Amino acid sequence: MKQRIITAIIAAALFIPFVIYGKVPFAILVLAMAIVGFYEILKMKGISIFSVPGFLGVVTLILLVIPKDWSEKVVDLIGYSSNLMVVYGLMMLLLIYVVLVKNKITFDEVGFILLGAFYVGLGFHYLIETRNVGLEYVVYCLLVVWTTDSGAYFVGRKFGKNKLWPEISPKKTIEGFIGGIVIAVIFAIGMQLIYPFANGYISLVVVTIVASIIGQMGDLVESAIKRHFDVKDSGNILPGHGGILDRFDSLLFVVPLLHFLHLFGN
């Protein structure tokens, strides 16, 4: 626990100034975290990020992560109508590579690389776009994720009796799941009282409930991936916490969701 607290304090001290400042430094930091997260998920599958497929996967990831204004410049530079066309071209190169190496890398592995790039890339992309909309929305997203996680942990530890999904995450309970939602709603209302940013309390509560549920599902998704590959943590870059994916698994689901719900006026 002591190691977790120390790591959390140091990580927050490094991360928060980038969040507050935003702009290019924040985008570069998020891109770096995305690459580390992608490395972690490839490592679980036994695919080297320094291999040809790994390299093509990283290029795909970068195109998915970078802000819209950056991707527009890339598209203009290479003469395509959208970066989706470039991503499609990279997919075709990966499939051609399968043939050239005579199935030393399989179609399944290509699918894993592409799905991993989208899973990690789009989540971090929307984190950048959220910061571009406004600092308060990033604060809200982080608040929902952190309070849900803390609420689920402490409520589950105190009152948890019924397992939520023991095959995926043995320690999570239904009581903790509900407790995390309640705590997230309380803190979201508190933020609205201090700094009004949402259109109204009803919409705020509804969105927070949905975001808290989806965030916990994101955590379960990463737990399922780790259980499938029989690893305890996605990485060890954050002592006591694991890897980048271990810390951002919920956020990768919450931030895109809030954009899809049109909470932010892009």
Side-chain angles (χ1 to χ4, degrees):
M1 180 61 73
K2 183 179 179 180
Q3 180 66 70
R4 286 177 62 88
I5 294 173
I6 293 173
T7 300
I9 292 173
I10 295 174
L14 294 173
F15 184 64
I16 290 175
F18 282 91
V19 175
I20 294 174
Y21 185 77
K23 302 177 184 177
V24 174
F26 180 70
I28 292 174
L29 175 65
V30 172
L31 178 59
M33 292 191 300
I35 292 173
V36 174
F38 188 59
Y39 163 80
E40 291 173 351
I41 201 167
L42 290 187
K43 186 178 178 182
M44 292 185 208
K45 183 70 171 174
I47 300 172
S48 172
I49 200 170
F50 301 106
S51 64
V52 173
F55 172 76
L56 293 175
V58 169
V59 176
T60 302
L61 175 83
I62 292 172
L63 289 171
L64 293 170
V65 173
I66 58 176
K68 288 186 292 186
D69 54 338
W70 292 18
S71 62
E72 288 170 0
K73 291 178 181 177
V74 171
V75 167
D76 290 340
L77 180 65
I78 60 180
Y80 286 97
S81 59
S82 72
N83 66 341
L84 184 60
M85 291 183 65
V86 183
V87 171
Y88 179 77
L90 290 167
M91 181 192 73
M92 299 306 293
L93 287 175
L94 278 167
L95 293 174
I96 291 171
Y97 186 76
V98 170
V99 176
L100 294 176
V101 298
K102 301 178 181 178
N103 283 333
K104 288 182 180 179
I105 179 172
T106 65
F107 182 83
D108 289 345
E109 289 172 317
V110 168
F112 184 87
I113 291 169
L114 292 172
L115 182 59
F118 273 86
Y119 164 53
V120 177
L122 289 181
F124 280 114
H125 166 78
Y126 281 110
L127 179 58
I128 295 173
E129 294 300 329
T130 299
R131 179 59 187 87
N132 290 340
V133 173
L135 174 61
E136 63 271 27
Y137 296 113
V138 175
V139 172
Y140 169 73
C141 291
L142 294 173
L143 181 74
V144 169
V145 169
W146 290 345
T147 55
T148 295
D149 186 54
S150 299
Y153 174 77
F154 288 110
V155 172
R157 191 173 183 181
K158 181 70 174 178
F159 304 105
K161 294 181 180 179
N162 301 290
K163 298 297 183 182
L164 176 65
W165 212 318
E167 297 85 0
I168 300 298
S169 187
K171 294 182 180 180
K172 286 182 170 45
T173 64
I174 295 174
E175 293 82 3
F177 184 84
I178 296 172
I181 297 171
V182 172
I183 298 300
V185 169
I186 291 172
F187 273 85
I189 291 174
M191 179 178 174
Q192 177 73 1
L193 288 170
I194 296 170
Y195 184 88
F197 68 99
N199 293 327
Y201 283 95
I202 294 177
S203 62
L204 175 67
V205 169
V206 171
V207 169
T208 302
I209 290 173
V210 174
S212 181
I213 293 172
I214 294 300
Q216 294 188 71
M217 293 305 298
D219 182 50
L220 287 170
V221 166
E222 208 241 342
S223 294
I225 294 171
K226 290 189 295 185
R227 184 164 289 272
H228 175 75
F229 290 108
D230 194 26
V231 296
K232 182 178 182 294
D233 297 315
S234 66
N236 55 16
I237 193 172
L238 301 169
H241 291 264
I244 291 294
L245 292 182
D246 291 315
R247 287 299 88 205
F248 288 87
D249 50 6
S250 296
L251 201 66
L252 292 178
F253 275 60
V254 169
V255 180
L257 168 77
L258 294 177
H259 277 272
F260 298 154
L261 292 178
H262 302 293
L263 179 66
F264 309 133
N266 286 356

